């Protein structure tokens, strides 16, 4: 009798390749964000949590922009093809997806940082405390 794992057959290798390759167009991970920030990021990192949570600890270099405040007039301060990477508290939080959806609806390129703050801490990376920097 097959297990719950094998009861439904795996996708073909070609289907699996297409699926997993597509995932990288939607998300990145904490390690790659950390490495890019250290080298001079070519994207804007948005912490979409509340200012209070941001102040308690955030990824160094991130801009605090709660997902509900992502609007066209606010985003106009960046060039049109700027890539935005959103993150929130972690896998238990959908704020990063909410922010990414708002950005996509504005026609802006976007990815999610998988794992959020939880993933960042799990990788052993330090957080920075302090108030959000003002954005236009």
């Amino acid at each position: 009798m097959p297990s719950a794992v094998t009861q439904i057959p795996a996708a073909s290798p070609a289907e699996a390749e297409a699926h997993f390759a597509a995932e990288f167009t939607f998300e990145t991970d904490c390690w790659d964000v950390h490495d890019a920030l250290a080298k001079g990021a070519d994207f804007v990192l948005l912490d979409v949590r509340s200012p209070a949570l941001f102040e308690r600890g955030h990824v160094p270099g991130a801009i605090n922009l709660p997902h509900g405040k992502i609007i066209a007039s606010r985003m106009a301060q960046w060039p049109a093809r700027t890539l935005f990477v959103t993150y929130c508290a972690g896998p238990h939080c959908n704020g990063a997806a909410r922010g990414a959806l708002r950005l996509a609806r504005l026609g802006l390129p976007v990815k999610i940082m998988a794992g959020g703050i939880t993933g960042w801490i799990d990788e052993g990376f330090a957080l920075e405390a302090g108030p959000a920097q003002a954005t236009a």
Side-chain angles (χ1 to χ4, degrees), residues 82-108:
T82 300
L83 173 64
F84 294 93
V85 176
T86 63
Y87 74 87
C88 59
H92 58 283
C93 174
N94 67 7
R98 289 178 183 274
L101 178 59
R102 290 182 78 104
L103 289 161
R105 286 180 172 161
L106 291 172
L108 299 170

Side-chain angles (χ1 to χ4, degrees), residues 4-100:
V5 173
T6 60
Q7 186 174 17
I8 298 171
S12 72
E15 291 170 319
E17 178 185 8
H19 171 81
F20 294 119
E23 283 188 15
F24 293 112
T25 66
F26 298 105
E27 63 183 44
T28 186
D29 67 13
C30 298
W31 187 269
D32 289 342
V33 169
H34 183 268
D35 185 59
L37 290 171
K39 294 175 180 173
D42 52 355
F43 56 88
V44 174
L45 184 61
L46 296 179
D47 182 320
V48 300
R49 301 172 305 143
S50 72
L53 289 174
F54 183 88
E55 191 167 333
R56 286 194 347 218
H58 57 270
V59 174
I63 295 169
N64 184 225
L65 186 57
H67 59 78
K69 295 187 177 191
I70 295 174
I71 57 174
S73 61
R74 173 93 28 103
M75 305 317 294
Q77 67 182 294
W78 290 284
R81 298 308 309 155
T82 300
L83 173 64
F84 294 93
V85 176
T86 63
Y87 74 87
C88 59
H92 58 283
C93 174
N94 67 7
R98 289 178 183 274

